[in-house]
């Protein structure tokens, strides 16, 4: 049981960390690509890894919610990437919907994922789980 709670806790922590860093850099674009690689990429990787490792413990609906958050995070990350001054990509080859940070999608998907994780990790739910085992 401890593995399950650890995996879910890691997922929740990485969800919040990823949201925080993307929210920050969505408002203040990194000056250089190196800053993006040092600050944003690790948080994205942590969230993806945590999602993969905890997916075993999530039901189908919870997996969908967390996957939607991942999609919103990826969209936000790409929008940030494409707005960095020294971005090596041909920015003109991307549509405006890719270049613009989708704040509504980002916020709403995080809110739903956050509520989902809070309901899973609610102390009363955890007490019930520990009684079963």
């Amino acid at each position: 049981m401890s593995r399950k709670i650890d995996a879910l806790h890691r997922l929740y922590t990485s969800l919040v960390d990823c949201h925080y860093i993307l929210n920050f850099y969505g408002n203040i674009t990194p000056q250089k690509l190196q800053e993006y690689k040092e600050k944003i990429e690790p948080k994205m990787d942590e969230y993806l890894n945590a999602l993969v490792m905890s997916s075993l413990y999530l039901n189908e609906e919870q997996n969908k919610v967390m996957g939607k958050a991942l999609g919103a995070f990826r969209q936000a990350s790409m929008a940030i990437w494409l707005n960095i001054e020294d971005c090596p990509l041909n920015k003109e080859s991307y549509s405006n919907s890719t270049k613009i940070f989708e704040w509504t999608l980002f916020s709403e998907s995080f809110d739903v994922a956050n509520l989902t994780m809070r309901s899973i990790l609610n102390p009363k739910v955890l007490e019930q789980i520990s009684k079963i085992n």
Side-chain angles (χ1 to χ4, degrees):
M1 184 52 61
S2 132
R3 285 185 190 171
K4 176 180 180 176
I5 293 170
D6 289 347
L8 294 172
H9 181 265
R10 183 173 169 229
L11 177 61
Y12 178 69
T13 302
S14 64
L15 171 78
V16 173
D17 286 349
C18 196
H19 177 264
Y20 174 79
I21 202 76
L22 290 169
N23 187 56
F24 179 83
Y25 283 108
N27 287 300
I28 302 169
T29 303
Q31 295 299 308
K32 298 289 179 186
L33 186 58
Q34 189 62 33
E35 184 178 3
Y36 174 92
K37 289 181 177 183
E38 291 173 0
K39 302 292 184 176
I40 297 172
E41 278 185 1
K43 298 297 183 183
M44 292 292 295
D45 291 343
E46 286 174 33
Y47 181 68
L48 178 58
N49 289 334
L51 181 55
V52 168
M53 297 307 293
S54 64
S55 64
L56 175 65
Y57 306 112
L58 301 173
N59 65 33
E60 186 177 339
E61 184 58 34
Q62 292 164 340
N63 266 315
K64 284 182 184 177
V65 166
M66 303 315 289
K68 284 183 182 180
L70 176 62
F73 288 174
R74 284 181 170 163
Q75 190 285 326
S77 174
M78 189 64 164
I80 292 167
W81 170 275
L82 289 171
N83 284 289
I84 297 172
E85 188 177 307
D86 62 344
C87 174
L89 302 176
N90 177 4
K91 297 176 186 182
E92 303 309 316
S93 66
Y94 291 88
S95 68
N96 281 339
S97 64
T98 303
K99 292 184 222 177
I100 297 171
F101 195 114
E102 303 258 350
W103 286 103
T104 302
L105 173 67
F106 176 74
S107 297
E108 289 176 359
S109 65
F110 170 75
D111 289 344
V112 173
N114 186 33
L115 287 173
T116 298
M117 291 307 302
R118 290 173 60 126
S119 71
I120 293 170
L121 293 171
N122 179 299
K124 290 182 181 183
V125 172
L126 295 177
E127 282 176 25
Q128 292 171 351
I129 291 171
S130 66
K131 287 178 186 176
I132 294 170
N133 295 317

